[in-house]
Amino acid sequence: MDELTPDQIIYETQSFIDSYPHFTVISPASTKYNCYGYALCIVEGSDTVNLGYNGNADIVNCFTLDASSVGCSFNEVSIANNPNIALLVYNNIPSECSHAAITVPGDNNMLISKMNFLPVFIHPKDQLPTFAGQLSLQYGTYHYYKRNYSMSLTGPDLVTSSATYTASYTNTTFNRISWKVEPTELFQDSSGYGLIANLQLKTNPTYLADSATITFYLGHIAPSNNTLDTNSYRISKRFAVQIPTCTISGSNVKSEGFTVKPGATVTITGTIKNYEKAIIKVPVSATLVVNGGKLTNGTTNKMWQGIRVAGNKHLPQSALNQGTIILQNDAIIENARIVIA
């Protein structure tokens, strides 16, 4: 179903407020998700909601395995005034779940609901609007589910060549798993499926940064038609990056700033365009060679920060004790606030 137009969103949201002034609207009208997409996804930890209009039982099964009792992603509980609680209402038939909502923490008589294309709103448990503009009781059996899973992500805090990151989770029905690392242009492998991500820095990167983020996305596949939903439950890790020995020859390499790995030599024969906050760091025992290359600004009318070379004036001036920068063959460093410091 297509999303409402901006004017329709304003109209439907205001119409709802006018019809039900005693309800509190917390999100505008939308056709992109329904009550299940809101309640089950948000309670399970997603930052997106979009289960749409698949069959009721099919949606519930994605999260509870069977539509009548305890599942994997949720455990059925008897106390409703806790955080991370979803309310499912059954029409006294296990496979016929008629509504899903979130309980308001501390008050199990108040719910947060999304109905059809209506806004998300807070309301008393026994009052739900109908399309006739009246309030109705939601008949059936109330079941409360509390989320019951955990996710974790392990891997190094610093990458200087290759690295492995591993995600894990417990007590959930997740069956769609993928990952990606950003900025992708810094790595040979930037995406893939599964709980293990093997990363390898490029030997001639087209984008430079001194940190990166890996994110694992976990979700569900609807069991009836084997299609992917668009919900993703995310766990991320940010890690530092140091550039190992390599030659950067591209003519349009973008840079957020980068750090040369201690003991390594990074040679620039191409052009690196540095963003405003970019700093190139050359630590002790590292070497930066600009061999006919150019270091310039990457944003029009914005200077970048320049090169910082580390060292110790109390130790002998050798490559082991100091950072080294070599400029040769008409190397150019321009548009930096402090060229070398």
Side-chain angles (χ1 to χ4, degrees), residues 38-62:
Y38 181 78
L40 295 177
C41 295
I42 291 296
V43 169
E44 193 174 48
S46 176
D47 58 1
T48 57
V49 284
N50 193 18
L51 277 179
Y53 290 90
N54 298 327
N56 291 2
D58 190 44
I59 292 170
V60 173
N61 285 344
C62 283

mmCIF file with all atom_site columns, all heavy atoms in Angstrom, residues 38-62:
data_model
loop_
_atom_site.group_PDB
_atom_site.id
_atom_site.type_symbol
_atom_site.label_atom_id
_atom_site.label_alt_id
_atom_site.label_comp_id
_atom_site.label_asym_id
_atom_site.label_entity_id
_atom_site.label_seq_id
_atom_site.pdbx_PDB_ins_code
_atom_site.Cartn_x
_atom_site.Cartn_y
_atom_site.Cartn_z
_atom_site.occupancy
_atom_site.B_iso_or_equiv
_atom_site.pdbx_formal_charge
_atom_site.auth_seq_id
_atom_site.auth_comp_id
_atom_site.auth_asym_id
_atom_site.auth_atom_id
_atom_site.pdbx_PDB_model_num
ATOM 1   N N   . TYR A 1 38 ? 3.758  -1.910  14.512 1.00 0.00 ? 38 TYR A N   1
ATOM 2   C CA  . TYR A 1 38 ? 4.171  -0.981  15.556 1.00 0.00 ? 38 TYR A CA  1
ATOM 3   C C   . TYR A 1 38 ? 4.507  -1.717  16.852 1.00 0.00 ? 38 TYR A C   1
ATOM 4   O O   . TYR A 1 38 ? 5.628  -1.642  17.351 1.00 0.00 ? 38 TYR A O   1
ATOM 5   C CB  . TYR A 1 38 ? 3.076  0.062   15.820 1.00 0.00 ? 38 TYR A CB  1
ATOM 6   C CG  . TYR A 1 38 ? 3.481  1.048   16.881 1.00 0.00 ? 38 TYR A CG  1
ATOM 7   C CD1 . TYR A 1 38 ? 4.354  2.093   16.577 1.00 0.00 ? 38 TYR A CD1 1
ATOM 8   C CD2 . TYR A 1 38 ? 3.034  0.933   18.193 1.00 0.00 ? 38 TYR A CD2 1
ATOM 9   C CE1 . TYR A 1 38 ? 4.760  2.985   17.543 1.00 0.00 ? 38 TYR A CE1 1
ATOM 10  C CE2 . TYR A 1 38 ? 3.432  1.817   19.165 1.00 0.00 ? 38 TYR A CE2 1
ATOM 11  C CZ  . TYR A 1 38 ? 4.297  2.851   18.838 1.00 0.00 ? 38 TYR A CZ  1
ATOM 12  O OH  . TYR A 1 38 ? 4.707  3.723   19.819 1.00 0.00 ? 38 TYR A OH  1
ATOM 13  N N   . ALA A 1 39 ? 3.540  -2.429  17.385 1.00 0.00 ? 39 ALA A N   1
ATOM 14  C CA  . ALA A 1 39 ? 3.707  -2.989  18.729 1.00 0.00 ? 39 ALA A CA  1
ATOM 15  C C   . ALA A 1 39 ? 4.813  -4.033  18.811 1.00 0.00 ? 39 ALA A C   1
ATOM 16  O O   . ALA A 1 39 ? 5.700  -3.946  19.655 1.00 0.00 ? 39 ALA A O   1
ATOM 17  C CB  . ALA A 1 39 ? 2.386  -3.591  19.207 1.00 0.00 ? 39 ALA A CB  1
ATOM 18  N N   . LEU A 1 40 ? 4.767  -5.010  17.912 1.00 0.00 ? 40 LEU A N   1
ATOM 19  C CA  . LEU A 1 40 ? 5.731  -6.100  18.013 1.00 0.00 ? 40 LEU A CA  1
ATOM 20  C C   . LEU A 1 40 ? 7.142  -5.641  17.667 1.00 0.00 ? 40 LEU A C   1
ATOM 21  O O   . LEU A 1 40 ? 8.109  -6.007  18.317 1.00 0.00 ? 40 LEU A O   1
ATOM 22  C CB  . LEU A 1 40 ? 5.307  -7.253  17.111 1.00 0.00 ? 40 LEU A CB  1
ATOM 23  C CG  . LEU A 1 40 ? 3.984  -7.932  17.498 1.00 0.00 ? 40 LEU A CG  1
ATOM 24  C CD1 . LEU A 1 40 ? 3.631  -9.011  16.491 1.00 0.00 ? 40 LEU A CD1 1
ATOM 25  C CD2 . LEU A 1 40 ? 4.065  -8.529  18.895 1.00 0.00 ? 40 LEU A CD2 1
ATOM 26  N N   . CYS A 1 41 ? 7.270  -4.816  16.630 1.00 0.00 ? 41 CYS A N   1
ATOM 27  C CA  . CYS A 1 41 ? 8.603  -4.387  16.214 1.00 0.00 ? 41 CYS A CA  1
ATOM 28  C C   . CYS A 1 41 ? 9.236  -3.452  17.233 1.00 0.00 ? 41 CYS A C   1
ATOM 29  O O   . CYS A 1 41 ? 10.397 -3.611  17.605 1.00 0.00 ? 41 CYS A O   1
ATOM 30  C CB  . CYS A 1 41 ? 8.543  -3.707  14.860 1.00 0.00 ? 41 CYS A CB  1
ATOM 31  S SG  . CYS A 1 41 ? 8.047  -4.807  13.522 1.00 0.00 ? 41 CYS A SG  1
ATOM 32  N N   . ILE A 1 42 ? 8.477  -2.464  17.701 1.00 0.00 ? 42 ILE A N   1
ATOM 33  C CA  . ILE A 1 42 ? 9.033  -1.505  18.649 1.00 0.00 ? 42 ILE A CA  1
ATOM 34  C C   . ILE A 1 42 ? 9.383  -2.192  19.962 1.00 0.00 ? 42 ILE A C   1
ATOM 35  O O   . ILE A 1 42 ? 10.456 -1.976  20.539 1.00 0.00 ? 42 ILE A O   1
ATOM 36  C CB  . ILE A 1 42 ? 8.046  -0.355  18.898 1.00 0.00 ? 42 ILE A CB  1
ATOM 37  C CG1 . ILE A 1 42 ? 7.921  0.512   17.644 1.00 0.00 ? 42 ILE A CG1 1
ATOM 38  C CG2 . ILE A 1 42 ? 8.499  0.493   20.077 1.00 0.00 ? 42 ILE A CG2 1
ATOM 39  C CD1 . ILE A 1 42 ? 9.202  1.224   17.253 1.00 0.00 ? 42 ILE A CD1 1
ATOM 40  N N   . VAL A 1 43 ? 8.511  -3.046  20.436 1.00 0.00 ? 43 VAL A N   1
ATOM 41  C CA  . VAL A 1 43 ? 8.781  -3.718  21.701 1.00 0.00 ? 43 VAL A CA  1
ATOM 42  C C   . VAL A 1 43 ? 9.980  -4.653  21.573 1.00 0.00 ? 43 VAL A C   1
ATOM 43  O O   . VAL A 1 43 ? 10.775 -4.806  22.497 1.00 0.00 ? 43 VAL A O   1
ATOM 44  C CB  . VAL A 1 43 ? 7.539  -4.504  22.183 1.00 0.00 ? 43 VAL A CB  1
ATOM 45  C CG1 . VAL A 1 43 ? 7.885  -5.410  23.353 1.00 0.00 ? 43 VAL A CG1 1
ATOM 46  C CG2 . VAL A 1 43 ? 6.458  -3.534  22.604 1.00 0.00 ? 43 VAL A CG2 1
ATOM 47  N N   . GLU A 1 44 ? 10.162 -5.260  20.404 1.00 0.00 ? 44 GLU A N   1
ATOM 48  C CA  . GLU A 1 44 ? 11.287 -6.167  20.252 1.00 0.00 ? 44 GLU A CA  1
ATOM 49  C C   . GLU A 1 44 ? 12.610 -5.427  20.102 1.00 0.00 ? 44 GLU A C   1
ATOM 50  O O   . GLU A 1 44 ? 13.676 -6.003  20.242 1.00 0.00 ? 44 GLU A O   1
ATOM 51  C CB  . GLU A 1 44 ? 11.079 -7.102  19.064 1.00 0.00 ? 44 GLU A CB  1
ATOM 52  C CG  . GLU A 1 44 ? 12.077 -8.248  19.080 1.00 0.00 ? 44 GLU A CG  1
ATOM 53  C CD  . GLU A 1 44 ? 11.797 -9.276  18.002 1.00 0.00 ? 44 GLU A CD  1
ATOM 54  O OE1 . GLU A 1 44 ? 11.586 -8.890  16.861 1.00 0.00 ? 44 GLU A OE1 1
ATOM 55  O OE2 . GLU A 1 44 ? 11.799 -10.474 18.334 1.00 0.00 ? 44 GLU A OE2 1
ATOM 56  N N   . GLY A 1 45 ? 12.557 -4.151  19.822 1.00 0.00 ? 45 GLY A N   1
ATOM 57  C CA  . GLY A 1 45 ? 13.792 -3.387  19.798 1.00 0.00 ? 45 GLY A CA  1
ATOM 58  C C   . GLY A 1 45 ? 14.144 -2.764  18.469 1.00 0.00 ? 45 GLY A C   1
ATOM 59  O O   . GLY A 1 45 ? 15.205 -2.182  18.326 1.00 0.00 ? 45 GLY A O   1
ATOM 60  N N   . SER A 1 46 ? 13.270 -2.860  17.484 1.00 0.00 ? 46 SER A N   1
ATOM 61  C CA  . SER A 1 46 ? 13.580 -2.312  16.169 1.00 0.00 ? 46 SER A CA  1
ATOM 62  C C   . SER A 1 46 ? 13.513 -0.791  16.176 1.00 0.00 ? 46 SER A C   1
ATOM 63  O O   . SER A 1 46 ? 12.792 -0.196  16.962 1.00 0.00 ? 46 SER A O   1
ATOM 64  C CB  . SER A 1 46 ? 12.586 -2.837  15.134 1.00 0.00 ? 46 SER A CB  1
ATOM 65  O OG  . SER A 1 46 ? 12.813 -2.239  13.878 1.00 0.00 ? 46 SER A OG  1
ATOM 66  N N   . ASP A 1 47 ? 14.268 -0.162  15.271 1.00 0.00 ? 47 ASP A N   1
ATOM 67  C CA  . ASP A 1 47 ? 14.122 1.274   15.088 1.00 0.00 ? 47 ASP A CA  1
ATOM 68  C C   . ASP A 1 47 ? 13.338 1.564   13.815 1.00 0.00 ? 47 ASP A C   1
ATOM 69  O O   . ASP A 1 47 ? 13.270 2.695   13.355 1.00 0.00 ? 47 ASP A O   1
ATOM 70  C CB  . ASP A 1 47 ? 15.476 1.975   15.043 1.00 0.00 ? 47 ASP A CB  1
ATOM 71  C CG  . ASP A 1 47 ? 16.375 1.452   13.937 1.00 0.00 ? 47 ASP A CG  1
ATOM 72  O OD1 . ASP A 1 47 ? 15.920 0.557   13.196 1.00 0.00 ? 47 ASP A OD1 1
ATOM 73  O OD2 . ASP A 1 47 ? 17.509 1.926   13.828 1.00 0.00 ? 47 ASP A OD2 1
ATOM 74  N N   . THR A 1 48 ? 12.756 0.537   13.219 1.00 0.00 ? 48 THR A N   1
ATOM 75  C CA  . THR A 1 48 ? 11.865 0.730   12.077 1.00 0.00 ? 48 THR A CA  1
ATOM 76  C C   . THR A 1 48 ? 10.605 -0.091  12.297 1.00 0.00 ? 48 THR A C   1
ATOM 77  O O   . THR A 1 48 ? 10.613 -1.091  13.011 1.00 0.00 ? 48 THR A O   1
ATOM 78  C CB  . THR A 1 48 ? 12.516 0.267   10.758 1.00 0.00 ? 48 THR A CB  1
ATOM 79  O OG1 . THR A 1 48 ? 12.885 -1.118  10.889 1.00 0.00 ? 48 THR A OG1 1
ATOM 80  C CG2 . THR A 1 48 ? 13.744 1.084   10.433 1.00 0.00 ? 48 THR A CG2 1
ATOM 81  N N   . VAL A 1 49 ? 9.509  0.314   11.710 1.00 0.00 ? 49 VAL A N   1
ATOM 82  C CA  . VAL A 1 49 ? 8.261  -0.453  11.772 1.00 0.00 ? 49 VAL A CA  1
ATOM 83  C C   . VAL A 1 49 ? 7.659  -0.490  10.380 1.00 0.00 ? 49 VAL A C   1
ATOM 84  O O   . VAL A 1 49 ? 7.450  0.532   9.752  1.00 0.00 ? 49 VAL A O   1
ATOM 85  C CB  . VAL A 1 49 ? 7.247  0.164   12.761 1.00 0.00 ? 49 VAL A CB  1
ATOM 86  C CG1 . VAL A 1 49 ? 7.626  -0.132  14.189 1.00 0.00 ? 49 VAL A CG1 1
ATOM 87  C CG2 . VAL A 1 49 ? 7.113  1.651   12.554 1.00 0.00 ? 49 VAL A CG2 1
ATOM 88  N N   . ASN A 1 50 ? 7.384  -1.691  9.885  1.00 0.00 ? 50 ASN A N   1
ATOM 89  C CA  . ASN A 1 50 ? 6.826  -1.775  8.534  1.00 0.00 ? 50 ASN A CA  1
ATOM 90  C C   . ASN A 1 50 ? 6.410  -3.199  8.203  1.00 0.00 ? 50 ASN A C   1
ATOM 91  O O   . ASN A 1 50 ? 6.815  -3.747  7.203  1.00 0.00 ? 50 ASN A O   1
ATOM 92  C CB  . ASN A 1 50 ? 7.841  -1.267  7.504  1.00 0.00 ? 50 ASN A CB  1
ATOM 93  C CG  . ASN A 1 50 ? 7.202  -1.046  6.142  1.00 0.00 ? 50 ASN A CG  1
ATOM 94  O OD1 . ASN A 1 50 ? 5.992  -0.956  6.038  1.00 0.00 ? 50 ASN A OD1 1
ATOM 95  N ND2 . ASN A 1 50 ? 8.019  -0.975  5.118  1.00 0.00 ? 50 ASN A ND2 1
ATOM 96  N N   . LEU A 1 51 ? 5.588  -3.819  9.046  1.00 0.00 ? 51 LEU A N   1
ATOM 97  C CA  . LEU A 1 51 ? 5.136  -5.171  8.736  1.00 0.00 ? 51 LEU A CA  1
ATOM 98  C C   . LEU A 1 51 ? 3.984  -5.181  7.733  1.00 0.00 ? 51 LEU A C   1
ATOM 99  O O   . LEU A 1 51 ? 3.680  -6.204  7.165  1.00 0.00 ? 51 LEU A O   1
ATOM 100 C CB  . LEU A 1 51 ? 4.707  -5.892  10.013 1.00 0.00 ? 51 LEU A CB  1
ATOM 101 C CG  . LEU A 1 51 ? 5.855  -6.510  10.804 1.00 0.00 ? 51 LEU A CG  1
ATOM 102 C CD1 . LEU A 1 51 ? 5.342  -7.168  12.064 1.00 0.00 ? 51 LEU A CD1 1
ATOM 103 C CD2 . LEU A 1 51 ? 6.602  -7.526  9.976  1.00 0.00 ? 51 LEU A CD2 1
ATOM 104 N N   . GLY A 1 52 ? 3.321  -4.040  7.569  1.00 0.00 ? 52 GLY A N   1
ATOM 105 C CA  . GLY A 1 52 ? 2.293  -3.950  6.547  1.00 0.00 ? 52 GLY A CA  1
ATOM 106 C C   . GLY A 1 52 ? 1.084  -4.818  6.819  1.00 0.00 ? 52 GLY A C   1
ATOM 107 O O   . GLY A 1 52 ? 0.730  -5.082  7.953  1.00 0.00 ? 52 GLY A O   1
ATOM 108 N N   . TYR A 1 53 ? 0.474  -5.309  5.743  1.00 0.00 ? 53 TYR A N   1
ATOM 109 C CA  . TYR A 1 53 ? -0.812 -5.968  5.877  1.00 0.00 ? 53 TYR A CA  1
ATOM 110 C C   . TYR A 1 53 ? -0.754 -7.431  5.474  1.00 0.00 ? 53 TYR A C   1
ATOM 111 O O   . TYR A 1 53 ? -1.568 -7.916  4.703  1.00 0.00 ? 53 TYR A O   1
ATOM 112 C CB  . TYR A 1 53 ? -1.851 -5.210  5.047  1.00 0.00 ? 53 TYR A CB  1
ATOM 113 C CG  . TYR A 1 53 ? -2.162 -3.876  5.650  1.00 0.00 ? 53 TYR A CG  1
ATOM 114 C CD1 . TYR A 1 53 ? -1.432 -2.756  5.297  1.00 0.00 ? 53 TYR A CD1 1
ATOM 115 C CD2 . TYR A 1 53 ? -3.156 -3.738  6.612  1.00 0.00 ? 53 TYR A CD2 1
ATOM 116 C CE1 . TYR A 1 53 ? -1.702 -1.525  5.870  1.00 0.00 ? 53 TYR A CE1 1
ATOM 117 C CE2 . TYR A 1 53 ? -3.429 -2.516  7.188  1.00 0.00 ? 53 TYR A CE2 1
ATOM 118 C CZ  . TYR A 1 53 ? -2.698 -1.412  6.817  1.00 0.00 ? 53 TYR A CZ  1
ATOM 119 O OH  . TYR A 1 53 ? -2.961 -0.200  7.388  1.00 0.00 ? 53 TYR A OH  1
ATOM 120 N N   . ASN A 1 54 ? 0.239  -8.146  5.974  1.00 0.00 ? 54 ASN A N   1
ATOM 121 C CA  . ASN A 1 54 ? 0.223  -9.595  5.829  1.00 0.00 ? 54 ASN A CA  1
ATOM 122 C C   . ASN A 1 54 ? -0.876 -10.147 6.732  1.00 0.00 ? 54 ASN A C   1
ATOM 123 O O   . ASN A 1 54 ? -1.498 -9.420  7.496  1.00 0.00 ? 54 ASN A O   1
ATOM 124 C CB  . ASN A 1 54 ? 1.574  -10.196 6.226  1.00 0.00 ? 54 ASN A CB  1
ATOM 125 C CG  . ASN A 1 54 ? 2.699  -9.707  5.328  1.00 0.00 ? 54 ASN A CG  1
ATOM 126 O OD1 . ASN A 1 54 ? 2.485  -9.454  4.160  1.00 0.00 ? 54 ASN A OD1 1
ATOM 127 N ND2 . ASN A 1 54 ? 3.880  -9.587  5.887  1.00 0.00 ? 54 ASN A ND2 1
ATOM 128 N N   . GLY A 1 55 ? -1.095 -11.437 6.676  1.00 0.00 ? 55 GLY A N   1
ATOM 129 C CA  . GLY A 1 55 ? -2.118 -12.028 7.529  1.00 0.00 ? 55 GLY A CA  1
ATOM 130 C C   . GLY A 1 55 ? -1.794 -11.847 9.002  1.00 0.00 ? 55 GLY A C   1
ATOM 131 O O   . GLY A 1 55 ? -0.641 -11.875 9.410  1.00 0.00 ? 55 GLY A O   1
ATOM 132 N N   . ASN A 1 56 ? -2.803 -11.663 9.820  1.00 0.00 ? 56 ASN A N   1
ATOM 133 C CA  . ASN A 1 56 ? -2.593 -11.438 11.248 1.00 0.00 ? 56 ASN A CA  1
ATOM 134 C C   . ASN A 1 56 ? -1.766 -12.534 11.881 1.00 0.00 ? 56 ASN A C   1
ATOM 135 O O   . ASN A 1 56 ? -0.776 -12.285 12.578 1.00 0.00 ? 56 ASN A O   1
ATOM 136 C CB  . ASN A 1 56 ? -3.941 -11.332 11.969 1.00 0.00 ? 56 ASN A CB  1
ATOM 137 C CG  . ASN A 1 56 ? -4.701 -10.073 11.593 1.00 0.00 ? 56 ASN A CG  1
ATOM 138 O OD1 . ASN A 1 56 ? -4.243 -9.301  10.766 1.00 0.00 ? 56 ASN A OD1 1
ATOM 139 N ND2 . ASN A 1 56 ? -5.857 -9.874  12.202 1.00 0.00 ? 56 ASN A ND2 1
ATOM 140 N N   . ALA A 1 57 ? -2.195 -13.780 11.676 1.00 0.00 ? 57 ALA A N   1
ATOM 141 C CA  . ALA A 1 57 ? -1.494 -14.892 12.300 1.00 0.00 ? 57 ALA A CA  1
ATOM 142 C C   . ALA A 1 57 ? -0.055 -14.976 11.791 1.00 0.00 ? 57 ALA A C   1
ATOM 143 O O   . ALA A 1 57 ? 0.869  -15.283 12.545 1.00 0.00 ? 57 ALA A O   1
ATOM 144 C CB  . ALA A 1 57 ? -2.225 -16.198 12.037 1.00 0.00 ? 57 ALA A CB  1
ATOM 145 N N   . ASP A 1 58 ? 0.143  -14.688 10.511 1.00 0.00 ? 58 ASP A N   1
ATOM 146 C CA  . ASP A 1 58 ? 1.474  -14.737 9.922  1.00 0.00 ? 58 ASP A CA  1
ATOM 147 C C   . ASP A 1 58 ? 2.405  -13.758 10.616 1.00 0.00 ? 58 ASP A C   1
ATOM 148 O O   . ASP A 1 58 ? 3.559  -14.068 10.920 1.00 0.00 ? 58 ASP A O   1
ATOM 149 C CB  . ASP A 1 58 ? 1.371  -14.406 8.442  1.00 0.00 ? 58 ASP A CB  1
ATOM 150 C CG  . ASP A 1 58 ? 2.671  -14.663 7.692  1.00 0.00 ? 58 ASP A CG  1
ATOM 151 O OD1 . ASP A 1 58 ? 3.281  -15.715 7.935  1.00 0.00 ? 58 ASP A OD1 1
ATOM 152 O OD2 . ASP A 1 58 ? 3.053  -13.818 6.883  1.00 0.00 ? 58 ASP A OD2 1
ATOM 153 N N   . ILE A 1 59 ? 1.930  -12.548 10.886 1.00 0.00 ? 59 ILE A N   1
ATOM 154 C CA  . ILE A 1 59 ? 2.737  -11.535 11.544 1.00 0.00 ? 59 ILE A CA  1
ATOM 155 C C   . ILE A 1 59 ? 3.076  -11.953 12.963 1.00 0.00 ? 59 ILE A C   1
ATOM 156 O O   . ILE A 1 59 ? 4.220  -11.883 13.403 1.00 0.00 ? 59 ILE A O   1
ATOM 157 C CB  . ILE A 1 59 ? 1.995  -10.194 11.541 1.00 0.00 ? 59 ILE A CB  1
ATOM 158 C CG1 . ILE A 1 59 ? 1.887  -9.662  10.109 1.00 0.00 ? 59 ILE A CG1 1
ATOM 159 C CG2 . ILE A 1 59 ? 2.707  -9.177  12.426 1.00 0.00 ? 59 ILE A CG2 1
ATOM 160 C CD1 . ILE A 1 59 ? 0.983  -8.475  9.971  1.00 0.00 ? 59 ILE A CD1 1
ATOM 161 N N   . VAL A 1 60 ? 2.077  -12.402 13.690 1.00 0.00 ? 60 VAL A N   1
ATOM 162 C CA  . VAL A 1 60 ? 2.312  -12.804 15.074 1.00 0.00 ? 60 VAL A CA  1
ATOM 163 C C   . VAL A 1 60 ? 3.286  -13.975 15.135 1.00 0.00 ? 60 VAL A C   1
ATOM 164 O O   . VAL A 1 60 ? 4.162  -14.033 16.001 1.00 0.00 ? 60 VAL A O   1
ATOM 165 C CB  . VAL A 1 60 ? 0.979  -13.161 15.766 1.00 0.00 ? 60 VAL A CB  1
ATOM 166 C CG1 . VAL A 1 60 ? 1.233  -13.733 17.155 1.00 0.00 ? 60 VAL A CG1 1
ATOM 167 C CG2 . VAL A 1 60 ? 0.095  -11.929 15.860 1.00 0.00 ? 60 VAL A CG2 1
ATOM 168 N N   . ASN A 1 61 ? 3.171  -14.900 14.193 1.00 0.00 ? 61 ASN A N   1
ATOM 169 C CA  . ASN A 1 61 ? 4.063  -16.058 14.183 1.00 0.00 ? 61 ASN A CA  1
ATOM 170 C C   . ASN A 1 61 ? 5.517  -15.656 13.998 1.00 0.00 ? 61 ASN A C   1
ATOM 171 O O   . ASN A 1 61 ? 6.427  -16.347 14.471 1.00 0.00 ? 61 ASN A O   1
ATOM 172 C CB  . ASN A 1 61 ? 3.660  -17.033 13.078 1.00 0.00 ? 61 ASN A CB  1
ATOM 173 C CG  . ASN A 1 61 ? 2.413  -17.818 13.426 1.00 0.00 ? 61 ASN A CG  1
ATOM 174 O OD1 . ASN A 1 61 ? 2.016  -17.853 14.594 1.00 0.00 ? 61 ASN A OD1 1
ATOM 175 N ND2 . ASN A 1 61 ? 1.794  -18.412 12.438 1.00 0.00 ? 61 ASN A ND2 1
ATOM 176 N N   . CYS A 1 62 ? 5.769  -14.565 13.292 1.00 0.00 ? 62 CYS A N   1
ATOM 177 C CA  . CYS A 1 62 ? 7.142  -14.107 13.117 1.00 0.00 ? 62 CYS A CA  1
ATOM 178 C C   . CYS A 1 62 ? 7.816  -13.834 14.458 1.00 0.00 ? 62 CYS A C   1
ATOM 179 O O   . CYS A 1 62 ? 9.022  -13.925 14.591 1.00 0.00 ? 62 CYS A O   1
ATOM 180 C CB  . CYS A 1 62 ? 7.179  -12.817 12.287 1.00 0.00 ? 62 CYS A CB  1
ATOM 181 S SG  . CYS A 1 62 ? 6.941  -13.062 10.522 1.00 0.00 ? 62 CYS A SG  1
#
